[in-house]
Amino acid sequence: LILAMAVETGRGIYMTNCIACHGQDLHAVIDAGGQKIPLPGLSLTDGQWKYGSKPMDIFKLINEGTPADSPGHNGARMMAWGQTMPPIQIAQLTAFLIHENPKDFTK
């Protein structure tokens, strides 16, 4: 029950803060009248975790943003959400992302 609540809270955090770059369906594209337009963020459903695929890697990336030595994606770098979001919300967001990608996080 606690995990389910964390995932649902994380979903709300995602829908408020992340859809502009990663899309409502986490695919990082928007459908504009049948035309697929790429968004600035990476897809969060393709099984590729550029900065690490462990839960704490995801937490760290959200908390600290794109590493300083990274050029970003499509010219955009993710901000350090830890500057505006408390750790519990980053953990809830991480739980949501893991929930949405079970094949990547269950071995």
Side-chain angles (χ1 to χ4, degrees), residues 54-75:
K54 293 185 173 37
M56 283 309 297
D57 296 332
I58 307 303
F59 181 96
K60 181 180 179 188
L61 178 62
I62 297 166
N63 190 54
E64 298 177 9
T66 306
D69 60 351
S70 171
H73 179 71
N74 291 334

Side-chain angles (χ1 to χ4, degrees), residues 24-101:
Q24 185 170 355
D25 62 2
L26 289 76
H27 286 84
V29 295
I30 190 167
D31 187 337
Q35 182 179 3
K36 303 278 187 192
I37 299 172
L39 295 171
L42 292 168
S43 171
L44 301 175
T45 60
D46 63 4
Q48 298 185 29
W49 300 94
K50 189 173 182 178
Y51 301 106
S53 61
K54 293 185 173 37
M56 283 309 297
D57 296 332
I58 307 303
F59 181 96
K60 181 180 179 188
L61 178 62
I62 297 166
N63 190 54
E64 298 177 9
T66 306
D69 60 351
S70 171
H73 179 71
N74 291 334
R77 295 183 53 209
M78 190 166 82
M79 67 176 273
W81 286 98
Q83 294 176 357
T84 60
M85 190 180 296
I88 186 68
Q89 289 184 331
I90 294 171
Q92 292 162 330
L93 181 53
T94 302
F96 167 69
L97 294 174
I98 291 169
H99 177 268
E100 293 298 303
N101 293 280

